[in-house]
Amino acid sequence: MSKPRNLFLAAFIFVALSVGAVSAEVVGKVGVDWIGNDIIVEALSDPQVKGVTCHVTYFDRSLIDRFKNGNWFEDPSNNSIACRQTGPIEIGNIDLSKDGSEVFRQGMSLIWKTLVVNRIYDKANDTLIYLAHSRELTDGSAKMSISTIPLYGQNVTWKNGKPQ
């Protein structure tokens, strides 16, 4: 492949990975050391489930750390998630399969690593599960975090009726 074609392909992949899922709002930034590494806290709302807010944390490497370690284009896969009911729950058209659906995606490297939040509905326990994990091109990351929203006993409105 020619160099312009490679650059076009890389730009296309970057845009494709950036589009789609929900955007998040930075609500906190905690410095963890003297060289400028930070933990970022973002709030995101599920576009298909009103009344639920998830807070996702991830590590943001400083320029000094990037110089020191030589890995310019990638942040660690460390992340965490906590989701809570923050209003009346209204559930839209959600994927009810075991795979669930992607709610949030954010790049953690120039092209290949992405922080992803998936929503899964556990019908047997009437619970929404939010899974945060990193997706990498060559090897997936074993670092993950989950949070659950129990729906039992809640006044939940289902747009398409509660699954039976």
Side-chain angles (χ1 to χ4, degrees):
M1 279 190 180
S2 67
K3 187 173 184 175
R5 180 180 258 175
N6 286 341
L7 290 173
F8 176 76
L9 181 62
F12 176 78
I13 291 170
F14 177 75
V15 169
L17 290 174
S18 301
V19 177
V22 174
S23 63
E25 175 188 353
V26 174
V27 295
K29 182 176 179 182
V30 177
V32 295
D33 58 26
W34 66 271
I35 60 174
N37 291 315
D38 297 318
I39 295 172
I40 306 297
V41 182
E42 292 185 339
L44 62 108
S45 297
D46 186 332
Q48 292 296 322
V49 181
K50 292 180 184 174
V52 170
T53 302
C54 293
H55 291 90
V56 178
T57 63
Y58 59 89
F59 193 77
D60 185 35
R61 290 177 54 220
S62 69
L63 191 58
I64 295 170
D65 192 39
R66 292 175 194 277
F67 272 126
K68 186 178 96 176
N69 293 322
N71 186 345
W72 280 88
F73 304 110
E74 189 168 81
D75 283 326
S77 295
N78 302 333
N79 52 62
S80 182
I81 188 169
C83 302
R84 299 293 183 264
Q85 180 178 354
T86 55
I89 296 179
E90 298 177 27
I91 300 177
N93 188 21
I94 66 171
D95 184 343
L96 299 174
S97 71
K98 291 195 182 285
D99 293 341
S101 60
E102 189 174 286
V103 175
F104 174 77
R105 176 182 8 158
Q106 178 172 302
M108 307 243 354
S109 71
L110 186 59
I111 296 176
W112 309 117
K113 186 190 284 186
T114 308
L115 168 63
V116 179
V117 175
N118 291 85
R119 176 201 340 95
I120 300 166
Y121 176 60
D122 175 359
K123 183 178 164 188
N125 295 298
D126 201 15
T127 300
L128 292 172
I129 302 168
Y130 290 87
L131 167 69
H133 63 96
S134 294
R135 184 179 296 148
E136 297 183 52
L137 183 64
T138 54
D139 296 316
S141 174
K143 296 177 181 177
M144 66 201 85
S145 180
I146 69 167
S147 188
T148 61
I149 304 287
L151 302 177
Y152 178 79
Q154 301 293 327
N155 186 14
V156 177
T157 303
W158 289 82
K159 180 180 177 182
N160 299 326
K162 186 172 180 176
Q164 299 303 318

